[in-house]
Amino acid sequence: MDIKELLKSVTADQMKKRIPQFAPGDVVKIHLKIKEGDKERIQIFEGVIIARRGVGIGETFKVRRIASGVGVERTFMIHSPLIDKLQVVKHGKVARAKLYYLREKTGKQAKIKELGRDKLLQLQATEVKAMEAEQAQSALEAAQTAAHEAKAEAAKA
């Protein structure tokens, strides 16, 4: 087995299966698992995605929000086990991949236009197709597993 294949198989287990489509300019809610002693709770961080970089298991994105008049930025790993859920609140329309210019903007200047209705419907349609394909794949895997188990039972008898 090649090292690249071994690395792919190890990282494939760690990667999340279902991640919503999002891009810079989108407003997202990240539900984070916070551990405090023995207790675990969920904390929500909502803001605008200002950057996305990397591929595979090392892919990250930066989220910016204004908290008590102070800009707060946080970098998250997409496939982190600390992220419980990722929700896209609204899709923004921007012309750049990195929105670092928002750091200097305040108030109405920092506002991002919302994606047009036709583009939004197109994006939703691709997400629905991806979800249907994922469900079909899982149904196929379940059927193959059931057939394999039935074959094993028949061999025992």
Coordinates of all heavy atoms in Angstrom, one line a residue, residues 16 22 26-34 42-49 61-65 74-78 80 82-89:
K16 N -15.9 14.8 7.7 CA -17.4 14.8 7.9 C -18.0 14.5 6.5 O -17.5 15.0 5.5 CB -17.9 16.2 8.4 CG -17.4 16.4 9.8 CD -18.0 17.7 10.3 CE -17.6 17.9 11.8 NZ -18.0 19.1 12.3
F22 N -20.9 26.6 1.3 CA -20.7 28.0 1.8 C -19.5 28.6 1.2 O -18.6 27.9 0.8 CB -20.7 28.1 3.3 CG -19.6 27.4 4.0 CD1 -18.5 28.1 4.3 CD2 -19.7 26.1 4.4 CE1 -17.4 27.5 4.9 CE2 -18.7 25.4 5.0 CZ -17.5 26.1 5.3
D26 N -20.9 34.7 3.0 CA -22.1 34.0 3.6 C -22.1 34.2 5.1 O -21.0 34.3 5.8 CB -22.1 32.5 3.4 CG -22.2 32.2 1.9 OD1 -22.5 33.1 1.1 OD2 -22.1 31.0 1.5
V27 N -23.3 34.3 5.7 CA -23.4 34.4 7.1 C -23.7 33.0 7.6 O -24.6 32.3 7.1 CB -24.6 35.4 7.5 CG1 -24.8 35.4 9.0 CG2 -24.3 36.8 7.0
V28 N -22.9 32.5 8.6 CA -23.1 31.2 9.1 C -23.2 31.2 10.6 O -22.8 32.1 11.3 CB -21.9 30.3 8.7 CG1 -21.8 30.0 7.3 CG2 -20.6 30.8 9.2
K29 N -23.9 30.1 11.1 CA -23.9 29.8 12.6 C -23.2 28.5 12.8 O -23.5 27.5 12.2 CB -25.4 29.6 13.0 CG -26.2 30.8 13.3 CD -27.5 30.5 13.8 CE -28.3 31.7 14.1 NZ -29.7 31.4 14.6
I30 N -22.2 28.6 13.7 CA -21.4 27.4 14.0 C -21.8 27.0 15.4 O -21.6 27.8 16.3 CB -19.9 27.7 13.9 CG1 -19.5 28.1 12.4 CG2 -19.1 26.5 14.2 CD1 -19.1 29.5 12.3
H31 N -22.2 25.8 15.6 CA -22.6 25.2 16.9 C -21.4 24.5 17.4 O -21.0 23.4 16.8 CB -23.8 24.3 16.8 CG -25.0 25.0 16.3 ND1 -26.1 25.3 17.2 CD2 -25.4 25.5 15.1 CE1 -27.0 25.9 16.5 NE2 -26.6 26.0 15.2
L32 N -20.7 25.0 18.4 CA -19.4 24.5 18.9 C -19.7 23.7 20.2 O -20.5 24.1 21.0 CB -18.4 25.6 19.2 CG -17.9 26.3 18.0 CD1 -17.1 27.5 18.5 CD2 -16.9 25.4 17.3
K33 N -19.0 22.6 20.3 CA -19.0 21.8 21.6 C -18.0 22.4 22.5 O -16.8 22.5 22.2 CB -18.7 20.4 21.3 CG -19.7 19.6 20.5 CD -19.3 18.2 20.3 CE -20.2 17.5 19.3 NZ -19.7 16.2 18.9
I34 N -18.4 22.9 23.7 CA -17.5 23.4 24.7 C -17.4 22.5 25.9 O -18.5 22.2 26.4 CB -17.9 24.9 25.1 CG1 -18.1 25.8 23.9 CG2 -17.0 25.5 26.1 CD1 -16.9 26.2 23.2
I42 N -23.2 23.4 24.1 CA -23.1 23.9 22.8 C -23.1 25.5 22.8 O -24.0 26.1 23.5 CB -24.3 23.4 21.9 CG1 -24.3 21.9 21.9 CG2 -24.2 24.0 20.5 CD1 -23.2 21.3 21.1
Q43 N -22.2 26.1 22.1 CA -22.1 27.5 22.0 C -22.2 27.9 20.5 O -21.6 27.3 19.7 CB -20.8 28.1 22.6 CG -20.7 29.6 22.6 CD -19.4 30.0 23.2 OE1 -18.3 29.5 22.9 NE2 -19.4 31.0 24.1
I44 N -23.0 28.9 20.2 CA -23.2 29.3 18.8 C -22.3 30.6 18.5 O -22.3 31.5 19.3 CB -24.7 29.6 18.6 CG1 -25.5 28.4 18.8 CG2 -24.8 30.1 17.1 CD1 -27.0 28.6 18.7
F45 N -21.6 30.5 17.4 CA -20.8 31.6 16.9 C -21.3 32.0 15.6 O -21.3 31.1 14.7 CB -19.3 31.2 16.9 CG -18.4 32.4 16.6 CD1 -17.9 33.1 17.6 CD2 -18.0 32.7 15.3 CE1 -17.0 34.1 17.4 CE2 -17.1 33.7 15.0 CZ -16.6 34.5 16.1
E46 N -21.9 33.2 15.4 CA -22.5 33.6 14.2 C -21.7 34.7 13.6 O -21.4 35.7 14.3 CB -24.0 34.0 14.4 CG -24.6 34.4 13.1 CD -26.1 34.7 13.3 OE1 -26.6 34.5 14.4 OE2 -26.7 35.1 12.3
G47 N -21.4 34.7 12.3 CA -20.7 35.8 11.7 C -20.6 35.6 10.2 O -21.1 34.6 9.6
V48 N -19.8 36.4 9.5 CA -19.6 36.4 8.1 C -18.3 35.7 7.8 O -17.3 35.9 8.4 CB -19.5 37.9 7.5 CG1 -19.2 37.8 6.0 CG2 -20.7 38.6 7.8
I49 N -18.3 34.8 6.8 CA -17.1 34.1 6.4 C -16.3 35.1 5.6 O -16.7 35.7 4.6 CB -17.4 32.9 5.6 CG1 -18.2 31.9 6.4 CG2 -16.2 32.3 5.0 CD1 -18.6 30.6 5.7
F61 N -11.7 27.8 7.6 CA -12.4 29.0 7.2 C -12.4 30.0 8.4 O -12.4 29.6 9.5 CB -13.9 28.8 6.7 CG -14.8 28.1 7.8 CD1 -15.7 28.9 8.5 CD2 -14.7 26.8 8.1 CE1 -16.5 28.4 9.4 CE2 -15.5 26.2 9.0 CZ -16.4 27.0 9.7
K62 N -12.4 31.3 8.1 CA -12.4 32.4 9.1 C -13.8 33.0 9.1 O -14.3 33.4 8.1 CB -11.4 33.5 8.7 CG -10.0 33.1 9.1 CD -9.1 34.3 9.0 CE -7.7 33.8 9.3 NZ -6.7 34.9 9.1
V63 N -14.3 33.3 10.3 CA -15.5 33.9 10.5 C -15.3 35.2 11.4 O -14.6 35.2 12.3 CB -16.5 33.0 11.3 CG1 -17.9 33.6 11.5 CG2 -16.7 31.7 10.5
R64 N -16.0 36.2 10.9 CA -15.8 37.5 11.6 C -17.2 38.0 12.1 O -18.2 37.9 11.4 CB -15.2 38.6 10.7 CG -15.1 39.9 11.3 CD -14.4 40.9 10.3 NE -14.4 42.3 10.9 CZ -13.5 42.7 11.7 NH1 -12.6 41.9 12.2 NH2 -13.6 44.0 12.2
R65 N -17.2 38.5 13.3 CA -18.5 39.1 13.9 C -18.1 40.3 14.8 O -16.9 40.4 15.2 CB -19.3 38.1 14.6 CG -18.7 37.7 15.9 CD -19.5 36.7 16.6 NE -19.9 37.2 18.0 CZ -20.5 36.4 18.8 NH1 -21.0 35.3 18.5 NH2 -20.8 36.9 20.0
R74 N -12.5 34.3 14.1 CA -12.1 33.0 14.6 C -11.9 32.1 13.4 O -12.7 32.1 12.4 CB -13.3 32.5 15.5 CG -12.7 31.8 16.7 CD -13.8 31.4 17.7 NE -13.3 30.1 18.2 CZ -14.0 29.5 19.1 NH1 -15.2 29.9 19.5 NH2 -13.6 28.3 19.5
T75 N -10.9 31.3 13.5 CA -10.6 30.3 12.4 C -11.0 28.9 12.9 O -10.7 28.5 14.0 CB -9.1 30.3 12.1 OG1 -8.7 31.6 11.8 CG2 -8.8 29.4 11.0
F76 N -11.8 28.2 12.0 CA -12.3 26.9 12.3 C -11.8 25.9 11.3 O -11.7 26.2 10.1 CB -13.8 26.9 12.2 CG -14.5 27.8 13.3 CD1 -15.0 29.0 12.9 CD2 -14.7 27.4 14.6 CE1 -15.6 29.9 13.8 CE2 -15.3 28.2 15.5 CZ -15.7 29.4 15.1
M77 N -11.6 24.7 11.7 CA -11.3 23.6 10.8 C -12.6 23.0 10.4 O -13.5 22.7 11.3 CB -10.5 22.5 11.5 CG -9.2 23.0 12.1 SD -7.7 22.9 11.0 CE -7.6 21.2 10.5
I78 N -12.9 22.8 9.1 CA -14.2 22.4 8.7 C -14.5 21.0 9.2 O -15.6 20.7 9.6 CB -14.2 22.3 7.1 CG1 -14.3 23.8 6.6 CG2 -15.4 21.6 6.6 CD1 -14.3 23.9 5.1
S80 N -13.4 19.6 12.0 CA -13.2 19.5 13.4 C -14.3 18.7 14.2 O -15.5 19.0 13.9 CB -13.0 20.9 14.0 OG -12.9 20.8 15.4
L82 N -15.1 19.3 17.1 CA -15.7 20.3 18.0 C -16.9 21.0 17.4 O -17.7 21.6 18.1 CB -14.6 21.3 18.4 CG -13.5 20.7 19.2 CD1 -12.5 21.9 19.6 CD2 -14.0 20.1 20.5
I83 N -17.0 21.0 16.0 CA -18.1 21.6 15.3 C -19.2 20.6 15.3 O -19.2 19.6 14.7 CB -17.7 22.1 13.9 CG1 -16.7 23.2 14.0 CG2 -19.0 22.5 13.2 CD1 -16.2 23.7 12.6
D84 N -20.3 20.9 16.0 CA -21.5 20.1 16.1 C -22.4 20.2 14.9 O -22.8 19.3 14.3 CB -22.3 20.4 17.4 CG -23.4 19.4 17.6 OD1 -23.2 18.2 17.5 OD2 -24.6 19.9 17.9
K85 N -22.6 21.5 14.5 CA -23.5 21.7 13.4 C -23.0 23.1 12.7 O -22.6 24.0 13.4 CB -24.9 21.9 13.8 CG -25.9 22.0 12.7 CD -27.3 21.7 13.2 CE -27.9 22.8 14.0 NZ -29.4 22.7 14.3
L86 N -23.2 23.1 11.4 CA -22.9 24.3 10.6 C -24.1 24.7 9.8 O -24.5 23.9 9.0 CB -21.7 24.1 9.7 CG -21.1 25.3 9.0 CD1 -20.0 25.9 9.9 CD2 -20.5 24.9 7.7
Q87 N -24.6 25.9 10.0 CA -25.8 26.4 9.3 C -25.5 27.6 8.5 O -24.8 28.5 9.0 CB -26.9 26.8 10.3 CG -27.7 25.7 10.9 CD -28.8 26.3 11.9 OE1 -28.4 27.0 12.8 NE2 -30.0 26.0 11.6
V88 N -25.9 27.6 7.3 CA -25.8 28.8 6.5 C -27.1 29.7 6.7 O -28.2 29.2 6.3 CB -25.6 28.5 5.0 CG1 -25.5 29.8 4.2 CG2 -24.3 27.6 4.8
V89 N -26.9 30.9 7.2 CA -28.1 31.7 7.5 C -28.5 32.4 6.2 O -29.7 32.4 5.9 CB -27.8 32.7 8.6 CG1 -28.9 33.7 8.8 CG2 -27.4 32.0 9.9

